[in-house]
Amino acid sequence: MAIATTAGCLAQKKAPKEVRAQLTTRVTGSLDFIADSIEYRSDLTRLYGRLMGMPHTSNRIDMMMLMVDNQAADATDIDGVDFKRWFQWEDEGVIPVEIDFPAMKPQRAWVVKLSGPRGESSWVINEKGGAPK
């Protein structure tokens, strides 16, 4: 009984997080992306979005780096596709992804640079609503 109570207490103490969902994305290069939201947590920062492509075509992401405040951080994980492995768009031409980066303070603008066998791409992601607070 005490174990269940302790586990319940731990589950209630989640790390604080902040989610930003009003985003715009400007893409250059071969890999199209739409940013849905960014979740800032104490242990990581997660970018939620959708890779867009022509149905039944393939691509691969070999490297992904985030540029913020003149500093670079490599992506630590991606769900939806795997780094350095080919993936294919199905009939809808959309692949939902979650991309993890090291923990950081909330930002108004991101630049994500990535590369693969089809070339380099850049995603400029901005929060709607003006200058940084």
Side-chain angles (χ1 to χ4, degrees):
M1 198 66 149
I3 293 173
T5 303
T6 303
C9 290
L10 291 176
Q12 292 175 4
K13 293 184 178 182
K14 292 183 178 178
K17 63 182 178 179
E18 180 176 343
V19 177
R20 306 264 175 110
Q22 300 233 335
L23 306 172
T24 62
T25 310
R26 190 176 75 243
V27 176
T28 58
S30 63
L31 193 55
D32 203 0
F33 180 77
I34 296 173
D36 293 325
S37 64
I38 301 170
E39 182 179 15
Y40 296 94
R41 300 186 343 201
S42 61
D43 58 336
L44 61 85
T45 300
R46 180 167 289 158
L47 172 61
Y48 294 90
R50 294 165 280 157
L51 295 172
M52 310 299 289
M54 184 176 289
H56 310 292
T57 62
S58 61
N59 209 329
R60 191 175 79 204
I61 300 171
D62 292 338
M63 182 280 306
M64 185 178 296
M65 178 187 328
L66 171 64
M67 306 293 295
V68 175
D69 292 334
N70 295 320
Q71 296 183 17
D74 289 331
T76 57
D77 190 27
I78 186 170
D79 290 332
V81 300
D82 295 318
F83 288 119
K84 298 183 180 179
R85 299 217 31 185
W86 288 95
F87 57 87
Q88 178 174 316
W89 284 276
E90 298 301 330
D91 294 335
E92 303 81 29
V94 177
I95 301 174
V97 293
E98 299 175 7
I99 306 164
D100 293 347
F101 294 96
M104 69 183 75
K105 65 182 181 182
Q107 305 290 321
R108 288 276 201 194
W110 286 33
V111 177
V112 179
K113 296 183 178 267
L114 55 150
S115 65
R118 304 230 192 281
E120 295 183 358
S121 296
S122 178
W123 306 335
V124 178
I125 302 167
N126 290 294
E127 183 176 334
K128 292 180 184 177
K133 291 181 181 178

